[in-house]
Amino acid sequence: MAIDSLGNIWVKNAGANVISEFTSMGSVVSANGYAPSGYVAGTLSAGLAFDTSGRLWITSASSSNASGYLMALTNGVRTLGPFTDDASADSASASGLYGGNWVSISNATIWTANSNTTVSAFLPSGQPNFGGPLSVANMTSTAWVDFDASGFAWVVDFNSSAIARINQAAGNTTAYDPSTGGLSYPSGLQVDANGSVWVSNNGTPSLSQLRFSSPVIVPVSPSTGYRDPNSDANAEGAVQLDASGNAWTVDDTNHLIQWVGIATPQATPVSPTRHATRP
């Protein structure tokens, strides 16, 4: 999922070659979904993220996870890409794009977590940045990436349910023991305004909350994660945080779920300097 500047929620569909749009109240905007030219959802349809110009960046992978691509949309219409990992197709292969999963935007750079053990970076033009992919130590299948306010990258591994914090400047990684906090085949990750990391879990229908407490990553959520007692789902999909601190997830029974006020808002409401009075 991704949330745009109007608060609308955008969702990719693995079972159809369309992207759905909903209002912040959950009402449908795209009656039949958007089907941009060149977009193929595939079995492993994956990440979405908006840049500062309002373009929606998409990653996806083939059913075998052996190939991945990246493209951008404006108002539901393809404007850039698709860039693939096929060397004969375009220059994006120099970035190591492979079965791209999650996508995140940081300092005008588009980052993807690949389905091997790497993270790739792209310029707004879609061309690869930094000369190649960044390897993540002690992971087998890097899945989702997001950035905190200090510019550190957070990455989760689907297969091992591990999480890592990467200091790009120092070139080192802080890993986390996945035995606590509720991590279970993580299917999404996002960092809130207070530095808490929120992870949705595919292995169990739950949300995990973690924080960095130097020199380690510590769990905030219980060992089962936060659970929705009303859910009949077996898994939570991606997670997105809106400006008000609500967490949005999708489950495997096609529900869009709002976790009201669970995270730190991106902006604190301004205190009034004067109160109005009724005439």
Side-chain angles (χ1 to χ4, degrees), residues 111-113 117-120 133-139 142 144-148 150-156 163-175 212 217:
W111 295 82
T112 68
T117 61
T118 64
V119 177
S120 296
L134 171 68
S135 295
V136 185
N138 302 318
M139 289 202 173
T142 46
W144 287 268
V145 59
D146 196 19
F147 291 80
D148 61 25
S150 300
F152 290 88
W154 289 80
V155 182
V156 287
I163 188 168
R165 180 179 185 263
I166 303 172
N167 183 342
Q168 298 176 64
N172 57 42
T173 301
T174 301
F212 178 70
I217 299 170

PDB file of all heavy atoms in Angstrom, residues 111-113 117-120 133-139 142 144-148 150-156 163-175 212 217:
ATOM      1  N   TRP A 111      14.471   3.586  -3.223  1.00  0.00           N
ATOM      2  CA  TRP A 111      15.149   2.392  -2.725  1.00  0.00           C
ATOM      3  C   TRP A 111      14.233   1.179  -2.863  1.00  0.00           C
ATOM      4  O   TRP A 111      13.037   1.254  -2.598  1.00  0.00           O
ATOM      5  CB  TRP A 111      15.526   2.556  -1.255  1.00  0.00           C
ATOM      6  CG  TRP A 111      16.536   3.619  -0.990  1.00  0.00           C
ATOM      7  CD1 TRP A 111      16.303   4.968  -0.859  1.00  0.00           C
ATOM      8  CD2 TRP A 111      17.943   3.442  -0.825  1.00  0.00           C
ATOM      9  NE1 TRP A 111      17.475   5.634  -0.626  1.00  0.00           N
ATOM     10  CE2 TRP A 111      18.501   4.723  -0.596  1.00  0.00           C
ATOM     11  CE3 TRP A 111      18.786   2.333  -0.843  1.00  0.00           C
ATOM     12  CZ2 TRP A 111      19.857   4.927  -0.386  1.00  0.00           C
ATOM     13  CZ3 TRP A 111      20.141   2.522  -0.634  1.00  0.00           C
ATOM     14  CH2 TRP A 111      20.668   3.800  -0.406  1.00  0.00           C
ATOM     15  N   THR A 112      14.794   0.056  -3.249  1.00  0.00           N
ATOM     16  CA  THR A 112      14.038  -1.188  -3.293  1.00  0.00           C
ATOM     17  C   THR A 112      14.772  -2.257  -2.493  1.00  0.00           C
ATOM     18  O   THR A 112      15.998  -2.318  -2.490  1.00  0.00           O
ATOM     19  CB  THR A 112      13.849  -1.707  -4.733  1.00  0.00           C
ATOM     20  OG1 THR A 112      15.107  -2.121  -5.274  1.00  0.00           O
ATOM     21  CG2 THR A 112      13.233  -0.638  -5.621  1.00  0.00           C
ATOM     22  N   ALA A 113      13.990  -3.079  -1.800  1.00  0.00           N
ATOM     23  CA  ALA A 113      14.549  -4.265  -1.156  1.00  0.00           C
ATOM     24  C   ALA A 113      14.344  -5.418  -2.118  1.00  0.00           C
ATOM     25  O   ALA A 113      13.222  -5.685  -2.551  1.00  0.00           O
ATOM     26  CB  ALA A 113      13.851  -4.544   0.170  1.00  0.00           C
ATOM     27  N   THR A 117      19.668 -10.707  -1.147  1.00  0.00           N
ATOM     28  CA  THR A 117      20.159 -10.158   0.132  1.00  0.00           C
ATOM     29  C   THR A 117      20.619  -8.717  -0.047  1.00  0.00           C
ATOM     30  O   THR A 117      21.528  -8.266   0.635  1.00  0.00           O
ATOM     31  CB  THR A 117      21.330 -11.005   0.668  1.00  0.00           C
ATOM     32  OG1 THR A 117      22.400 -10.977  -0.285  1.00  0.00           O
ATOM     33  CG2 THR A 117      20.900 -12.430   0.921  1.00  0.00           C
ATOM     34  N   THR A 118      19.979  -7.979  -0.963  1.00  0.00           N
ATOM     35  CA  THR A 118      20.470  -6.652  -1.302  1.00  0.00           C
ATOM     36  C   THR A 118      19.370  -5.596  -1.264  1.00  0.00           C
ATOM     37  O   THR A 118      18.171  -5.901  -1.289  1.00  0.00           O
ATOM     38  CB  THR A 118      21.108  -6.632  -2.707  1.00  0.00           C
ATOM     39  OG1 THR A 118      20.098  -6.940  -3.677  1.00  0.00           O
ATOM     40  CG2 THR A 118      22.246  -7.638  -2.804  1.00  0.00           C
ATOM     41  N   VAL A 119      19.806  -4.332  -1.217  1.00  0.00           N
ATOM     42  CA  VAL A 119      18.949  -3.164  -1.344  1.00  0.00           C
ATOM     43  C   VAL A 119      19.510  -2.325  -2.484  1.00  0.00           C
ATOM     44  O   VAL A 119      20.718  -2.092  -2.553  1.00  0.00           O
ATOM     45  CB  VAL A 119      18.925  -2.351  -0.035  1.00  0.00           C
ATOM     46  CG1 VAL A 119      18.082  -1.097  -0.193  1.00  0.00           C
ATOM     47  CG2 VAL A 119      18.389  -3.195   1.117  1.00  0.00           C
ATOM     48  N   SER A 120      18.652  -1.857  -3.403  1.00  0.00           N
ATOM     49  CA  SER A 120      19.093  -1.073  -4.556  1.00  0.00           C
ATOM     50  C   SER A 120      18.569   0.350  -4.468  1.00  0.00           C
ATOM     51  O   SER A 120      17.549   0.614  -3.839  1.00  0.00           O
ATOM     52  CB  SER A 120      18.612  -1.710  -5.861  1.00  0.00           C
ATOM     53  OG  SER A 120      19.192  -2.975  -6.050  1.00  0.00           O
ATOM     54  N   PRO A 133      24.044  -2.455  -5.898  1.00  0.00           N
ATOM     55  CA  PRO A 133      23.240  -2.760  -4.716  1.00  0.00           C
ATOM     56  C   PRO A 133      24.062  -2.818  -3.430  1.00  0.00           C
ATOM     57  O   PRO A 133      25.268  -3.036  -3.456  1.00  0.00           O
ATOM     58  CB  PRO A 133      22.649  -4.129  -5.041  1.00  0.00           C
ATOM     59  CG  PRO A 133      23.660  -4.744  -5.964  1.00  0.00           C
ATOM     60  CD  PRO A 133      24.222  -3.612  -6.768  1.00  0.00           C
ATOM     61  N   LEU A 134      23.363  -2.582  -2.309  1.00  0.00           N
ATOM     62  CA  LEU A 134      23.978  -2.667  -0.985  1.00  0.00           C
ATOM     63  C   LEU A 134      23.611  -4.001  -0.361  1.00  0.00           C
ATOM     64  O   LEU A 134      22.429  -4.348  -0.254  1.00  0.00           O
ATOM     65  CB  LEU A 134      23.471  -1.521  -0.104  1.00  0.00           C
ATOM     66  CG  LEU A 134      23.833  -1.546   1.387  1.00  0.00           C
ATOM     67  CD1 LEU A 134      25.323  -1.329   1.566  1.00  0.00           C
ATOM     68  CD2 LEU A 134      23.042  -0.482   2.141  1.00  0.00           C
ATOM     69  N   SER A 135      24.598  -4.783   0.028  1.00  0.00           N
ATOM     70  CA  SER A 135      24.343  -6.077   0.653  1.00  0.00           C
ATOM     71  C   SER A 135      23.967  -5.901   2.118  1.00  0.00           C
ATOM     72  O   SER A 135      24.481  -5.027   2.809  1.00  0.00           O
ATOM     73  CB  SER A 135      25.580  -6.974   0.556  1.00  0.00           C
ATOM     74  OG  SER A 135      25.874  -7.292  -0.781  1.00  0.00           O
ATOM     75  N   VAL A 136      23.031  -6.729   2.582  1.00  0.00           N
ATOM     76  CA  VAL A 136      22.594  -6.715   3.975  1.00  0.00           C
ATOM     77  C   VAL A 136      23.080  -7.991   4.642  1.00  0.00           C
ATOM     78  O   VAL A 136      22.676  -9.099   4.249  1.00  0.00           O
ATOM     79  CB  VAL A 136      21.069  -6.602   4.080  1.00  0.00           C
ATOM     80  CG1 VAL A 136      20.649  -6.476   5.543  1.00  0.00           C
ATOM     81  CG2 VAL A 136      20.560  -5.409   3.287  1.00  0.00           C
ATOM     82  N   ALA A 137      23.934  -7.845   5.630  1.00  0.00           N
ATOM     83  CA  ALA A 137      24.547  -9.012   6.267  1.00  0.00           C
ATOM     84  C   ALA A 137      23.522  -9.856   7.019  1.00  0.00           C
ATOM     85  O   ALA A 137      22.540  -9.346   7.557  1.00  0.00           O
ATOM     86  CB  ALA A 137      25.642  -8.553   7.237  1.00  0.00           C
ATOM     87  N   ASN A 138      23.748 -11.156   7.033  1.00  0.00           N
ATOM     88  CA  ASN A 138      22.998 -12.121   7.830  1.00  0.00           C
ATOM     89  C   ASN A 138      21.525 -12.227   7.437  1.00  0.00           C
ATOM     90  O   ASN A 138      20.683 -12.589   8.252  1.00  0.00           O
ATOM     91  CB  ASN A 138      23.102 -11.777   9.329  1.00  0.00           C
ATOM     92  CG  ASN A 138      24.531 -11.742   9.808  1.00  0.00           C
ATOM     93  OD1 ASN A 138      25.330 -12.598   9.442  1.00  0.00           O
ATOM     94  ND2 ASN A 138      24.864 -10.744  10.609  1.00  0.00           N
ATOM     95  N   MET A 139      21.208 -11.898   6.184  1.00  0.00           N
ATOM     96  CA  MET A 139      19.840 -12.066   5.712  1.00  0.00           C
ATOM     97  C   MET A 139      19.843 -12.965   4.487  1.00  0.00           C
ATOM     98  O   MET A 139      20.832 -13.066   3.763  1.00  0.00           O
ATOM     99  CB  MET A 139      19.199 -10.714   5.398  1.00  0.00           C
ATOM    100  CG  MET A 139      18.894  -9.891   6.641  1.00  0.00           C
ATOM    101  SD  MET A 139      17.620  -8.654   6.352  1.00  0.00           S
ATOM    102  CE  MET A 139      17.377  -8.064   8.048  1.00  0.00           C
ATOM    103  N   THR A 142      15.950 -10.332   1.661  1.00  0.00           N
ATOM    104  CA  THR A 142      15.532  -8.986   2.043  1.00  0.00           C
ATOM    105  C   THR A 142      14.203  -8.651   1.376  1.00  0.00           C
ATOM    106  O   THR A 142      14.028  -8.859   0.182  1.00  0.00           O
ATOM    107  CB  THR A 142      16.588  -7.951   1.627  1.00  0.00           C
ATOM    108  OG1 THR A 142      16.993  -8.218   0.289  1.00  0.00           O
ATOM    109  CG2 THR A 142      17.786  -8.001   2.544  1.00  0.00           C
ATOM    110  N   TRP A 144      11.527  -5.813   2.754  1.00  0.00           N
ATOM    111  CA  TRP A 144      10.950  -4.473   2.824  1.00  0.00           C
ATOM    112  C   TRP A 144      11.943  -3.521   3.456  1.00  0.00           C
ATOM    113  O   TRP A 144      12.677  -3.882   4.370  1.00  0.00           O
ATOM    114  CB  TRP A 144       9.647  -4.490   3.630  1.00  0.00           C
ATOM    115  CG  TRP A 144       8.555  -5.135   2.844  1.00  0.00           C
ATOM    116  CD1 TRP A 144       7.658  -4.523   2.027  1.00  0.00           C
ATOM    117  CD2 TRP A 144       8.266  -6.524   2.771  1.00  0.00           C
ATOM    118  NE1 TRP A 144       6.837  -5.433   1.444  1.00  0.00           N
ATOM    119  CE2 TRP A 144       7.179  -6.681   1.880  1.00  0.00           C
ATOM    120  CE3 TRP A 144       8.817  -7.660   3.353  1.00  0.00           C
ATOM    121  CZ2 TRP A 144       6.635  -7.923   1.570  1.00  0.00           C
ATOM    122  CZ3 TRP A 144       8.274  -8.891   3.044  1.00  0.00           C
ATOM    123  CH2 TRP A 144       7.189  -9.013   2.165  1.00  0.00           C
ATOM    124  N   VAL A 145      11.943  -2.258   2.994  1.00  0.00           N
ATOM    125  CA  VAL A 145      12.892  -1.263   3.483  1.00  0.00           C
ATOM    126  C   VAL A 145      12.158   0.050   3.733  1.00  0.00           C
ATOM    127  O   VAL A 145      11.244   0.412   3.002  1.00  0.00           O
ATOM    128  CB  VAL A 145      14.055  -1.059   2.475  1.00  0.00           C
ATOM    129  CG1 VAL A 145      13.532  -0.608   1.121  1.00  0.00           C
ATOM    130  CG2 VAL A 145      15.073  -0.060   3.007  1.00  0.00           C
ATOM    131  N   ASP A 146      12.543   0.757   4.804  1.00  0.00           N
ATOM    132  CA  ASP A 146      12.055   2.108   5.064  1.00  0.00           C
ATOM    133  C   ASP A 146      13.141   2.848   5.828  1.00  0.00           C
ATOM    134  O   ASP A 146      14.094   2.232   6.339  1.00  0.00           O
ATOM    135  CB  ASP A 146      10.745   2.090   5.861  1.00  0.00           C
ATOM    136  CG  ASP A 146      10.017   3.436   5.801  1.00  0.00           C
ATOM    137  OD1 ASP A 146      10.319   4.241   4.886  1.00  0.00           O
ATOM    138  OD2 ASP A 146       9.148   3.686   6.647  1.00  0.00           O
ATOM    139  N   PHE A 147      13.012   4.173   5.935  1.00  0.00           N
ATOM    140  CA  PHE A 147      14.046   5.006   6.524  1.00  0.00           C
ATOM    141  C   PHE A 147      13.501   5.792   7.707  1.00  0.00           C
ATOM    142  O   PHE A 147      12.374   6.281   7.675  1.00  0.00           O
ATOM    143  CB  PHE A 147      14.612   5.975   5.479  1.00  0.00           C
ATOM    144  CG  PHE A 147      15.404   5.286   4.410  1.00  0.00           C
ATOM    145  CD1 PHE A 147      14.770   4.658   3.355  1.00  0.00           C
ATOM    146  CD2 PHE A 147      16.781   5.238   4.477  1.00  0.00           C
ATOM    147  CE1 PHE A 147      15.495   4.000   2.373  1.00  0.00           C
ATOM    148  CE2 PHE A 147      17.521   4.577   3.505  1.00  0.00           C
ATOM    149  CZ  PHE A 147      16.870   3.960   2.455  1.00  0.00           C
ATOM    150  N   ASP A 148      14.316   5.917   8.765  1.00  0.00           N
ATOM    151  CA  ASP A 148      13.911   6.743   9.898  1.00  0.00           C
ATOM    152  C   ASP A 148      14.391   8.175   9.686  1.00  0.00           C
ATOM    153  O   ASP A 148      15.030   8.504   8.680  1.00  0.00           O
ATOM    154  CB  ASP A 148      14.410   6.149  11.218  1.00  0.00           C
ATOM    155  CG  ASP A 148      15.923   6.038  11.315  1.00  0.00           C
ATOM    156  OD1 ASP A 148      16.635   6.803  10.634  1.00  0.00           O
ATOM    157  OD2 ASP A 148      16.403   5.181  12.088  1.00  0.00           O
ATOM    158  N   SER A 150      16.677   9.841  10.970  1.00  0.00           N
ATOM    159  CA  SER A 150      18.130  10.007  10.963  1.00  0.00           C
ATOM    160  C   SER A 150      18.776   9.464   9.688  1.00  0.00           C
ATOM    161  O   SER A 150      20.003   9.522   9.554  1.00  0.00           O
ATOM    162  CB  SER A 150      18.743   9.303  12.183  1.00  0.00           C
ATOM    163  OG  SER A 150      18.230   9.860  13.384  1.00  0.00           O
ATOM    164  N   GLY A 151      17.968   8.923   8.784  1.00  0.00           N
ATOM    165  CA  GLY A 151      18.494   8.415   7.530  1.00  0.00           C
ATOM    166  C   GLY A 151      18.969   6.981   7.571  1.00  0.00           C
ATOM    167  O   GLY A 151      19.560   6.487   6.602  1.00  0.00           O
ATOM    168  N   PHE A 152      18.725   6.278   8.684  1.00  0.00           N
ATOM    169  CA  PHE A 152      19.093   4.872   8.762  1.00  0.00           C
ATOM    170  C   PHE A 152      18.049   4.026   8.037  1.00  0.00           C
ATOM    171  O   PHE A 152      16.847   4.291   8.132  1.00  0.00           O
ATOM    172  CB  PHE A 152      19.220   4.413  10.218  1.00  0.00           C
ATOM    173  CG  PHE A 152      20.406   4.979  10.937  1.00  0.00           C
ATOM    174  CD1 PHE A 152      20.324   6.195  11.590  1.00  0.00           C
ATOM    175  CD2 PHE A 152      21.619   4.310  10.945  1.00  0.00           C
ATOM    176  CE1 PHE A 152      21.426   6.731  12.245  1.00  0.00           C
ATOM    177  CE2 PHE A 152      22.720   4.827  11.596  1.00  0.00           C
ATOM    178  CZ  PHE A 152      22.622   6.041  12.248  1.00  0.00           C
ATOM    179  N   ALA A 153      18.501   3.018   7.327  1.00  0.00           N
ATOM    180  CA  ALA A 153      17.606   2.115   6.612  1.00  0.00           C
ATOM    181  C   ALA A 153      17.213   0.947   7.517  1.00  0.00           C
ATOM    182  O   ALA A 153      18.068   0.356   8.176  1.00  0.00           O
ATOM    183  CB  ALA A 153      18.285   1.593   5.355  1.00  0.00           C
ATOM    184  N   TRP A 154      15.928   0.619   7.522  1.00  0.00           N
ATOM    185  CA  TRP A 154      15.426  -0.554   8.236  1.00  0.00           C
ATOM    186  C   TRP A 154      14.993  -1.588   7.202  1.00  0.00           C
ATOM    187  O   TRP A 154      14.265  -1.271   6.264  1.00  0.00           O
ATOM    188  CB  TRP A 154      14.254  -0.186   9.121  1.00  0.00           C
ATOM    189  CG  TRP A 154      14.632   0.638  10.310  1.00  0.00           C
ATOM    190  CD1 TRP A 154      14.876   1.980  10.331  1.00  0.00           C
ATOM    191  CD2 TRP A 154      14.815   0.172  11.642  1.00  0.00           C
ATOM    192  NE1 TRP A 154      15.204   2.382  11.604  1.00  0.00           N
ATOM    193  CE2 TRP A 154      15.173   1.297  12.435  1.00  0.00           C
ATOM    194  CE3 TRP A 154      14.714  -1.073  12.253  1.00  0.00           C
ATOM    195  CZ2 TRP A 154      15.420   1.195  13.796  1.00  0.00           C
ATOM    196  CZ3 TRP A 154      14.955  -1.180  13.614  1.00  0.00           C
ATOM    197  CH2 TRP A 154      15.306  -0.054  14.371  1.00  0.00           C
ATOM    198  N   VAL A 155      15.433  -2.822   7.379  1.00  0.00           N
ATOM    199  CA  VAL A 155      15.162  -3.883   6.421  1.00  0.00           C
ATOM    200  C   VAL A 155      14.689  -5.115   7.182  1.00  0.00           C
ATOM    201  O   VAL A 155      15.220  -5.437   8.248  1.00  0.00           O
ATOM    202  CB  VAL A 155      16.433  -4.235   5.607  1.00  0.00           C
ATOM    203  CG1 VAL A 155      16.122  -5.315   4.577  1.00  0.00           C
ATOM    204  CG2 VAL A 155      16.986  -2.997   4.914  1.00  0.00           C
ATOM    205  N   VAL A 156      13.682  -5.809   6.624  1.00  0.00           N
ATOM    206  CA  VAL A 156      13.247  -7.078   7.207  1.00  0.00           C
ATOM    207  C   VAL A 156      13.472  -8.202   6.211  1.00  0.00           C
ATOM    208  O   VAL A 156      13.518  -7.982   5.001  1.00  0.00           O
ATOM    209  CB  VAL A 156      11.763  -7.063   7.634  1.00  0.00           C
ATOM    210  CG1 VAL A 156      11.571  -6.219   8.880  1.00  0.00           C
ATOM    211  CG2 VAL A 156      10.874  -6.593   6.494  1.00  0.00           C
ATOM    212  N   ILE A 163      15.149  -8.602  11.419  1.00  0.00           N
ATOM    213  CA  ILE A 163      15.091  -7.187  11.093  1.00  0.00           C
ATOM    214  C   ILE A 163      16.477  -6.590  11.331  1.00  0.00           C
ATOM    215  O   ILE A 163      17.224  -7.051  12.199  1.00  0.00           O
ATOM    216  CB  ILE A 163      14.015  -6.451  11.933  1.00  0.00           C
ATOM    217  CG1 ILE A 163      13.832  -5.002  11.446  1.00  0.00           C
ATOM    218  CG2 ILE A 163      14.335  -6.500  13.421  1.00  0.00           C
ATOM    219  CD1 ILE A 163      12.602  -4.328  12.031  1.00  0.00           C
ATOM    220  N   ALA A 164      16.842  -5.595  10.536  1.00  0.00           N
ATOM    221  CA  ALA A 164      18.162  -4.977  10.651  1.00  0.00           C
ATOM    222  C   ALA A 164      18.052  -3.474  10.462  1.00  0.00           C
ATOM    223  O   ALA A 164      17.158  -2.975   9.765  1.00  0.00           O
ATOM    224  CB  ALA A 164      19.130  -5.561   9.629  1.00  0.00           C
ATOM    225  N   ARG A 165      18.976  -2.750  11.071  1.00  0.00           N
ATOM    226  CA  ARG A 165      19.093  -1.298  10.924  1.00  0.00           C
ATOM    227  C   ARG A 165      20.465  -1.018  10.316  1.00  0.00           C
ATOM    228  O   ARG A 165      21.488  -1.420  10.866  1.00  0.00           O
ATOM    229  CB  ARG A 165      18.967  -0.616  12.291  1.00  0.00           C
ATOM    230  CG  ARG A 165      19.077   0.903  12.302  1.00  0.00           C
ATOM    231  CD  ARG A 165      18.902   1.379  13.743  1.00  0.00           C
ATOM    232  NE  ARG A 165      18.863   2.816  13.888  1.00  0.00           N
ATOM    233  CZ  ARG A 165      19.899   3.578  14.218  1.00  0.00           C
ATOM    234  NH1 ARG A 165      21.096   3.013  14.410  1.00  0.00           N
ATOM    235  NH2 ARG A 165      19.779   4.876  14.369  1.00  0.00           N
ATOM    236  N   ILE A 166      20.486  -0.333   9.166  1.00  0.00           N
ATOM    237  CA  ILE A 166      21.720  -0.146   8.425  1.00  0.00           C
ATOM    238  C   ILE A 166      22.210   1.288   8.535  1.00  0.00           C
ATOM    239  O   ILE A 166      21.489   2.235   8.220  1.00  0.00           O
ATOM    240  CB  ILE A 166      21.520  -0.493   6.933  1.00  0.00           C
ATOM    241  CG1 ILE A 166      21.012  -1.924   6.780  1.00  0.00           C
ATOM    242  CG2 ILE A 166      22.817  -0.299   6.162  1.00  0.00           C
ATOM    243  CD1 ILE A 166      20.620  -2.263   5.368  1.00  0.00           C
ATOM    244  N   ASN A 167      23.431   1.453   9.004  1.00  0.00           N
ATOM    245  CA  ASN A 167      24.104   2.746   9.017  1.00  0.00           C
ATOM    246  C   ASN A 167      24.896   2.850   7.723  1.00  0.00           C
ATOM    247  O   ASN A 167      25.974   2.283   7.600  1.00  0.00           O
ATOM    248  CB  ASN A 167      25.028   2.856  10.234  1.00  0.00           C
ATOM    249  CG  ASN A 167      25.701   4.208  10.330  1.00  0.00           C
ATOM    250  OD1 ASN A 167      25.766   4.957   9.361  1.00  0.00           O
ATOM    251  ND2 ASN A 167      26.209   4.537  11.511  1.00  0.00           N
ATOM    252  N   GLN A 168      24.343   3.565   6.745  1.00  0.00           N
ATOM    253  CA  GLN A 168      24.990   3.607   5.441  1.00  0.00           C
ATOM    254  C   GLN A 168      26.367   4.262   5.498  1.00  0.00           C
ATOM    255  O   GLN A 168      27.311   3.826   4.840  1.00  0.00           O
ATOM    256  CB  GLN A 168      24.113   4.377   4.457  1.00  0.00           C
ATOM    257  CG  GLN A 168      22.757   3.735   4.234  1.00  0.00           C
ATOM    258  CD  GLN A 168      21.906   4.578   3.327  1.00  0.00           C
ATOM    259  OE1 GLN A 168      22.235   4.766   2.170  1.00  0.00           O
ATOM    260  NE2 GLN A 168      20.823   5.107   3.853  1.00  0.00           N
ATOM    261  N   ALA A 169      26.488   5.318   6.320  1.00  0.00           N
ATOM    262  CA  ALA A 169      27.748   6.052   6.391  1.00  0.00           C
ATOM    263  C   ALA A 169      28.862   5.175   6.963  1.00  0.00           C
ATOM    264  O   ALA A 169      29.992   5.176   6.482  1.00  0.00           O
ATOM    265  CB  ALA A 169      27.576   7.313   7.218  1.00  0.00           C
ATOM    266  N   ALA A 170      28.533   4.421   8.011  1.00  0.00           N
ATOM    267  CA  ALA A 170      29.544   3.597   8.671  1.00  0.00           C
ATOM    268  C   ALA A 170      29.659   2.216   8.048  1.00  0.00           C
ATOM    269  O   ALA A 170      30.606   1.481   8.320  1.00  0.00           O
ATOM    270  CB  ALA A 170      29.226   3.464  10.158  1.00  0.00           C
ATOM    271  N   GLY A 171      28.661   1.859   7.228  1.00  0.00           N
ATOM    272  CA  GLY A 171      28.706   0.567   6.561  1.00  0.00           C
ATOM    273  C   GLY A 171      28.487  -0.609   7.481  1.00  0.00           C
ATOM    274  O   GLY A 171      28.960  -1.711   7.223  1.00  0.00           O
ATOM    275  N   ASN A 172      27.762  -0.422   8.584  1.00  0.00           N
ATOM    276  CA  ASN A 172      27.510  -1.546   9.468  1.00  0.00           C
ATOM    277  C   ASN A 172      26.016  -1.752   9.687  1.00  0.00           C
ATOM    278  O   ASN A 172      25.193  -0.895   9.382  1.00  0.00           O
ATOM    279  CB  ASN A 172      28.231  -1.379  10.812  1.00  0.00           C
ATOM    280  CG  ASN A 172      27.839  -0.093  11.520  1.00  0.00           C
ATOM    281  OD1 ASN A 172      26.676   0.282  11.544  1.00  0.00           O
ATOM    282  ND2 ASN A 172      28.814   0.589  12.095  1.00  0.00           N
ATOM    283  N   THR A 173      25.672  -2.912  10.225  1.00  0.00           N
ATOM    284  CA  THR A 173      24.288  -3.321  10.393  1.00  0.00           C
ATOM    285  C   THR A 173      24.040  -3.761  11.825  1.00  0.00           C
ATOM    286  O   THR A 173      24.835  -4.504  12.395  1.00  0.00           O
ATOM    287  CB  THR A 173      23.954  -4.487   9.442  1.00  0.00           C
ATOM    288  OG1 THR A 173      24.183  -4.072   8.098  1.00  0.00           O
ATOM    289  CG2 THR A 173      22.514  -4.912   9.590  1.00  0.00           C
ATOM    290  N   THR A 174      22.925  -3.297  12.415  1.00  0.00           N
ATOM    291  CA  THR A 174      22.491  -3.770  13.723  1.00  0.00           C
ATOM    292  C   THR A 174      21.369  -4.770  13.511  1.00  0.00           C
ATOM    293  O   THR A 174      20.308  -4.423  12.980  1.00  0.00           O
ATOM    294  CB  THR A 174      21.981  -2.614  14.605  1.00  0.00           C
ATOM    295  OG1 THR A 174      23.020  -1.655  14.777  1.00  0.00           O
ATOM    296  CG2 THR A 174      21.548  -3.133  15.965  1.00  0.00           C
ATOM    297  N   ALA A 175      21.590  -6.013  13.863  1.00  0.00           N
ATOM    298  CA  ALA A 175      20.597  -7.061  13.658  1.00  0.00           C
ATOM    299  C   ALA A 175      19.744  -7.228  14.907  1.00  0.00           C
ATOM    300  O   ALA A 175      20.034  -6.677  15.962  1.00  0.00           O
ATOM    301  CB  ALA A 175      21.284  -8.374  13.301  1.00  0.00           C
ATOM    302  N   PHE A 212      14.959   1.277  18.180  1.00  0.00           N
ATOM    303  CA  PHE A 212      16.400   1.149  18.339  1.00  0.00           C
ATOM    304  C   PHE A 212      16.805   1.774  19.664  1.00  0.00           C
ATOM    305  O   PHE A 212      16.507   2.932  19.934  1.00  0.00           O
ATOM    306  CB  PHE A 212      17.133   1.850  17.193  1.00  0.00           C
ATOM    307  CG  PHE A 212      18.629   1.793  17.324  1.00  0.00           C
ATOM    308  CD1 PHE A 212      19.301   0.590  17.158  1.00  0.00           C
ATOM    309  CD2 PHE A 212      19.359   2.927  17.620  1.00  0.00           C
ATOM    310  CE1 PHE A 212      20.681   0.521  17.278  1.00  0.00           C
ATOM    311  CE2 PHE A 212      20.735   2.877  17.739  1.00  0.00           C
ATOM    312  CZ  PHE A 212      21.403   1.677  17.573  1.00  0.00           C
ATOM    313  N   ILE A 217      18.322  -3.427  18.828  1.00  0.00           N
ATOM    314  CA  ILE A 217      16.921  -3.218  18.495  1.00  0.00           C
ATOM    315  C   ILE A 217      16.085  -3.978  19.516  1.00  0.00           C
ATOM    316  O   ILE A 217      16.333  -5.143  19.789  1.00  0.00           O
ATOM    317  CB  ILE A 217      16.616  -3.718  17.076  1.00  0.00           C
ATOM    318  CG1 ILE A 217      17.451  -2.948  16.046  1.00  0.00           C
ATOM    319  CG2 ILE A 217      15.133  -3.575  16.754  1.00  0.00           C
ATOM    320  CD1 ILE A 217      17.385  -3.528  14.648  1.00  0.00           C
TER     321      ILE A 217
END
